[in-house]
Amino acid sequence: MKKIAWLIVLLAAITIKVRAQAQDEFARTPKGDLCKKLTNNPGDKIKLNDVVTFDIIQKTEKDSLLGSTYMMGHPVKIQIQPSQNASDMMDVFPLLAAQDSALVKVPTDSLFNGHEDQRPPFLPKGSYLIYLVKIHRIQSLNDAIAERNKGLDSMRTAETVAEGKYIADHKLVTKTTPSGLKYFITKPSIKHKPLAGDTLLVNYTGHTLDGKVFDSSVAADAAKAGLNQPGRTYEPLKFVVGTGAVIKGWDEGWLLINEGAKAEFIIPSSLAYGSEGSGDIGPFATLVFDVELVKIKPIKHPVAAKPAAKKGVAKKHTTAKKNS
């Protein structure tokens, strides 16, 4: 509530300031943006390829709020590149230094050029989108990359520690493949294992290391976890293994267990959703799957040729003669 109240006060102050300066001259960029600097801080201006961290508020000319990074709870970070159109505002950033604020008017005609059918009624022809930009930080590309890599290394280390703690806390004895997949069999079977290209019918329940279930093909598990999966049919999932149709940890893991067996896969993020994450799964998240290989529908695999039996070959002994 305090953040919303603060935002309302800020917007009111902006509106008053904009109206008071209505007659002031705006600088026009080559792509047609209008920019009015509200501050003039010392320091180097933003350059091409710099990485800039900033907050931004987007409004209509009638002061209707369309978006705000303040309400999102975090600023945005972008690399400055050559401007392609007025909406990217890339020609505005080089006018600003760290801690500068600016009022930017972007012509809506540039946004809907060639597709007027997509123009909403509240952005008529000749109107502007209004942006208030606050620059927090400017970094060179090399510094930004170094900072990002340091952060990624820290997250990778944290993932490894969390995975080790999970295994220790649950007193698990696992096998580890060269890729880093860990698994153990909870219900063995003497039936055959699948081969790449086979179609599998499998049951599974997936959760994060902290126990949060994010998906399940088993109705009882989904209900217990309180999963909301409208329209979901709870039955074994059907897919072709070893073809990239699923995450790498699955393509590898299912080839390790027999039909009818149950197992637990502990899949590091490098074999799952990596540094980006997916949906409710965050970056660098190790995933745990309780799985059952219900049925294998094999394809016709080529029969490997047996190596030909080697015949005995008598060795021919020679003596190298030295020149006398």
Side-chain angles (χ1 to χ4, degrees):
M1 288 301 292
K2 287 183 179 180
K3 183 175 288 187
I4 300 300
W6 177 87
L7 182 59
I8 292 171
V9 171
L10 177 61
L11 288 173
I14 293 167
T15 301
I16 293 170
K17 189 165 187 176
V18 170
R19 288 173 179 167
Q21 298 176 340
Q23 303 304 317
D24 288 353
E25 184 178 353
F26 281 72
R28 183 181 293 273
T29 69
K31 293 294 192 294
D33 292 329
L34 300 177
C35 178
K36 173 68 177 179
K37 291 180 66 173
L38 304 179
T39 58
N40 193 20
N41 286 295
D44 295 335
K45 297 292 193 293
I46 298 168
K47 301 182 295 296
L48 193 66
N49 290 324
D50 281 348
V51 176
V52 181
T53 303
F54 63 98
D55 272 306
I56 189 167
I57 296 172
Q58 182 190 55
K59 303 190 301 173
T60 67
E61 288 184 296
K62 294 185 178 181
D63 296 329
S64 296
L65 180 65
L66 300 178
S68 169
T69 56
Y70 294 100
M71 295 187 71
M72 290 169 54
H74 58 83
V76 294
K77 180 181 288 190
I78 62 171
Q79 181 186 356
I80 304 304
Q81 300 176 338
S83 180
Q84 300 299 314
N85 50 61
S87 63
D88 62 31
M89 296 197 298
M90 289 296 171
D91 287 338
V92 170
F93 289 102
L95 303 174
L96 308 175
Q99 303 307 313
D100 267 342
S101 295
L103 180 69
V104 182
K105 299 172 71 173
V106 176
T108 61
D109 292 351
S110 68
L111 302 177
F112 301 103
N113 184 25
H115 44 91
E116 284 290 330
D117 56 316
Q118 298 179 23
R119 182 191 289 272
F122 59 87
L123 295 177
K125 287 186 177 182
S127 64
Y128 288 87
L129 278 171
I130 309 300
Y131 293 89
L132 179 73
V133 180
K134 169 69 175 180
I135 306 298
H136 295 300
R137 192 178 182 199
I138 304 170
Q139 296 172 281
S140 70
L141 180 58
N142 287 339
D143 286 346
I145 291 173
E147 182 179 81
R148 180 179 183 274
N149 288 342
K150 183 178 179 180
L152 293 178
D153 289 342
S154 177
M155 294 176 75
R156 289 190 189 96
T157 300
E159 179 186 7
T160 301
V161 171
E163 181 184 298
K165 184 176 186 302
Y166 175 86
I167 292 172
D169 289 348
H170 291 79
K171 297 179 173 60
L172 304 180
V173 179
T174 64
K175 294 181 179 180
T176 304
T177 70
S179 71
L181 170 69
K182 293 180 173 62
Y183 73 101
F184 62 94
I185 306 300
T186 57
K187 177 188 172 184
S189 169
I190 60 172
K191 295 183 179 180
H192 61 290
K193 293 179 180 179
L195 297 174
D198 289 344
T199 296
L200 308 185
L201 295 174
V202 305
N203 275 321
Y204 68 93
T205 296
H207 63 85
T208 53
L209 293 177
D210 61 5
K212 182 181 179 181
V213 175
F214 55 82
D215 194 13
S216 180
S217 66
V218 182
D221 289 353
K224 182 179 179 181
L227 284 183
N228 181 21
Q229 303 183 103
R232 175 69 184 261
T233 300
Y234 290 99
E235 60 185 15
L237 177 70
K238 182 179 179 180
F239 73 99
V240 180
V241 70
T243 62
V246 292
I247 59 175
K248 293 179 181 179
W250 265 37
D251 259 345
E252 181 181 359
W254 289 106
L255 299 177
L256 301 173
I257 65 175
N258 303 70
E259 183 180 64
K262 294 183 179 181
E264 184 169 297
F265 298 153
I266 302 173
I267 302 177
S269 63
S270 58
L271 301 177
Y273 297 104
S275 62
E276 300 300 322
S278 176
D280 293 335
I281 299 171
F284 293 102
T286 294
L287 305 180
V288 181
F289 287 93
D290 296 307
V291 300
E292 177 187 12
L293 179 45
V294 178
K295 187 175 181 61
I296 301 173
K297 294 183 177 181
I299 61 173
K300 187 175 181 180
H301 295 280
V303 178
K306 293 182 179 180
K310 293 183 179 180
K311 296 180 179 180
V313 178
K315 291 183 180 181
K316 185 178 180 181
H317 295 280
T318 60
T319 303
K321 295 182 178 180
K322 293 181 180 180
N323 293 327
S324 56

